[in-house]
Amino acid sequence: IPRDEYEEAEERAVKEVNATGKPYVIILNCVYPNTDSAKKLAEELSEKYQVPVIPLNCIDMDESEIKEIIKTLLYMFPVNEVRFNMPKWVLSLDNSHTLKSSLVNLIRDNMYINKVKEINNMLNSVSQNEYIEEVRINEQDLGSGTADVKVILKPDLFYKVRGERIGLDIKTESALYDY
């Protein structure tokens, strides 16, 4: 069937599905899904409709492709909660402390995400902070839209903050024992 014969019906179907507010993906059923033309059309449709488009031959589809569809769909679900786990010593700092306020503001400023698929981009943005060594997802439940994120701070920060609190210049663990 020539594409122009069903393009109008496709647009109408996408509008109807969008109206439900439910997450979805588009399956682009093709005889040869791995061709450049199929991949290009999938990319164009994805850009046009702002949803993932997966080119597949539905007749020859296997279990791994079904799993990929489900995984892609789950990433379209809304984010319900992202929990950031930081070292306990950071949480004990006064809210006005430069380090704590910087981290809290950073997280708050980057939490404008709606879909599970956006979590990684948000974490990449958060990880650019001068105090952060690494940010990684410890656990993620795609079905419930939750993620548990571990924030690893640069190693020298603990000693710097500890030194500020006691009025000494501490740069390493061994320096703690020098005083």
Side-chain angles (χ1 to χ4, degrees), residues 45-158:
L45 293 173
S46 182
E47 192 173 307
K48 178 178 181 178
Y49 297 122
Q50 296 297 299
V51 295
V53 177
I54 305 169
L56 287 172
N57 182 330
C58 293
I59 292 174
D60 296 333
M61 189 167 46
D62 62 18
E63 182 180 343
S64 68
E65 291 169 316
I66 293 170
K67 286 180 179 179
E68 187 60 32
I69 293 168
I70 292 169
K71 180 181 172 187
T72 303
L73 178 61
L74 287 171
Y75 276 104
M76 295 301 292
F77 274 73
V79 171
N80 289 317
E81 181 180 22
V82 178
R83 292 178 298 277
F84 285 86
N85 298 307
M86 288 189 222
K88 293 192 185 330
W89 64 267
V90 173
L91 302 176
S92 71
L93 295 173
D94 188 65
N95 288 340
S96 62
H97 191 281
T98 306
L99 174 62
K100 187 173 183 178
S101 65
S102 172
L103 294 171
V104 168
N105 290 334
L106 172 73
I107 291 167
R108 184 180 34 237
D109 293 346
N110 282 281
M111 283 304 299
Y112 295 101
I113 57 173
N114 297 308
K115 296 178 182 172
V116 172
K117 72 176 186 170
E118 298 168 341
I119 291 175
N120 281 331
N121 288 339
M122 182 264 302
L123 295 183
N124 286 338
S125 179
V126 167
S127 70
Q128 301 305 308
N129 182 278
E130 64 182 303
Y131 300 123
I132 294 178
E133 180 84 12
E134 181 185 356
V135 180
R136 67 172 172 244
I137 296 174
N138 274 348
E139 195 175 316
Q140 188 171 25
D141 185 339
L142 298 176
S144 67
T146 61
D148 203 36
V149 175
K150 182 170 186 165
V151 177
I152 300 169
L153 300 177
K154 293 192 175 170
D156 62 324
L157 283 173
F158 173 77

